[in-house]
Amino acid sequence: MLMALAGSTMLAGAASAELTGDLKIFLDTSNPAPRATMEAMIADFQELHPDLNIETTIIDRDAYKTQIRNFLTADSPDVATWYAANRMTPFVEAGLFEDVSDLWQEPEIAEALASTKGAMTIDDKQWGVAYTYYQWGIYYRKDIYEELGLNEPANFDEMKSNCAAIIDSGRKCYTIGTKFLWTAGGWFDYLNMRTHGFDFHMDLAQGKVNWTDDRVRETFANWRELIDMGAFVDNHQNYSWQESLPFIVNGEAAAILKGNFAVAPLREAGLDDNKLDFYQFPAINPDVELAEDAPTDTFHIPAKAQNKDNAREFLRFVVSANVQTEINNGANLGQLPVNAKSAVDDDKFLNEGFAMLSENSPGGVAQFFDRDFPAEMANEAMQGLQEFMVFPDNLDDILKRLDKVQERVYQ
C-alpha cells in the first residue's frame, strides 16, 4: 500500500487550492496490487482535499473493455482509466474523450511527460495523461557476450556481426516463441521504426501506407537478413514466449527481444544480474530518431464529465513526480514512472529502461503492434509476420493479402 505523503510533497507543482464538489473515478485496475495502489493514491488525493466527495468504481479489466463505450456515452464518470495511442482513437473520434491539451501547455507536464506526449496525441491534441509504462528492448546473456568478446551493438551492422559470432559458437542469436503471434509483432515494430521511424510506423498502423509499399518491403528485407543467418531458434512457431525462455536460460540462445516482464521469470530461472543485461534495440537508419515500444496505461476525462476542473486537478496529481515515484515502485505497480523527474526503484533493468525512455527515445513511444493497429488488422498481420519468419519466400503473397485486409478494415 502507499504511504500517505504530505500534501506539499505530493502535489509537486500542481495547483494547491482545495477542491469541493464531486469527483467520480472509474478504474480497470482490478488485480490486487494495482487496485491497492490506485485506492491508496486516491486516498492521498482525498486527504489533500477533504471537502471533495470522491466516488471510486473499480471494474474487472476485461469487463471494463466491453463497458467503456456505454458509460462514456451515458452515465459518465469524471475520470476513467484506459490505454494510449490507437486504443484511445475510437473514443477520441466519437467525441467521448475531453481534449486536455491545456494541461500539456503547463511546463511541469510538457517537460516532465515529454516521452509520452506522442502516445497521447491525435490530430495535434492531447486526450489524457499516462500514469505508467514499461520498456521493451533486448535482454541478453552478458556472460556469453563476454566469452565471445562481444559488445552491445551500436548499430544494425554490429548487431549482425555479433549474431554471426554467436552462430559460429553453436548458439542462436535470439530466442522467440511465436505460437501466440504477438511476439513477432515486437520484432516488426522495432525493425520498422528503426528503418523508417515512428511517424511512418504510425502511418502504417493507421492505414495510410500500403503493406506492399517498397518501404515496408525494406523493413522485411532487414528482418530477412537475420532470418537467413539463422538468428532465431528453430520451430519457434511451436513455443509460447514462456516456453522459449529455456533457450536463453540454458545458453542455447544469447538474447531475447521482450518487455521488462521477462526479467522476473529469467531471474527465477537462475540468471542473476551478472549473467543478464539489457540494451536498446540499435539504430538501423542513422537518420531516423530512436523510438521505443512502451505499452502505456492512461487516465482520461470523459467529454460528458460533470466535474472537469476537479478531474484536471486529479490528473495533475497523478502525473506529479512524487506520486509517479510512489505508485510505480516495486511494492506497487513495479513499472516505470512517466515523469522524467521521478525516482525509480533500485532495480538494474527499471533504471536502464527509465533512462532510455526518459532521455533516449526522441522518436516517440509506440504502444506495441496489437495496440497500435486496429484489432482485425493486427490479428491478420501478426499471422503474416509469423508466416514470414517461417516461410520468408511467402512475403509477396503475405503483403498482398494484408493490403486486402487493410482495404476492408480502414474503409
Side-chain angles (χ1 to χ4, degrees), residues 277-289:
D277 212 338
F278 171 87
Y279 62 82
Q280 185 172 22
F281 198 107
I284 295 178
N285 179 346
D287 297 326
V288 168
E289 289 188 319

Side-chain angles (χ1 to χ4, degrees), residues 135-168:
Q135 84 267 21
W136 271 66
I138 296 179
Y139 295 85
Y140 73 99
R141 285 288 300 269
K142 184 179 179 183
D143 53 334
I144 293 176
Y145 273 51
E146 288 173 349
E147 173 199 328
L148 300 176
L150 305 177
N151 297 313
E152 295 180 358
N155 54 53
F156 196 47
D157 285 340
E158 290 181 14
M159 185 173 169
K160 289 183 290 185
S161 65
N162 280 357
C163 189
I166 291 163
I167 290 169
D168 287 346

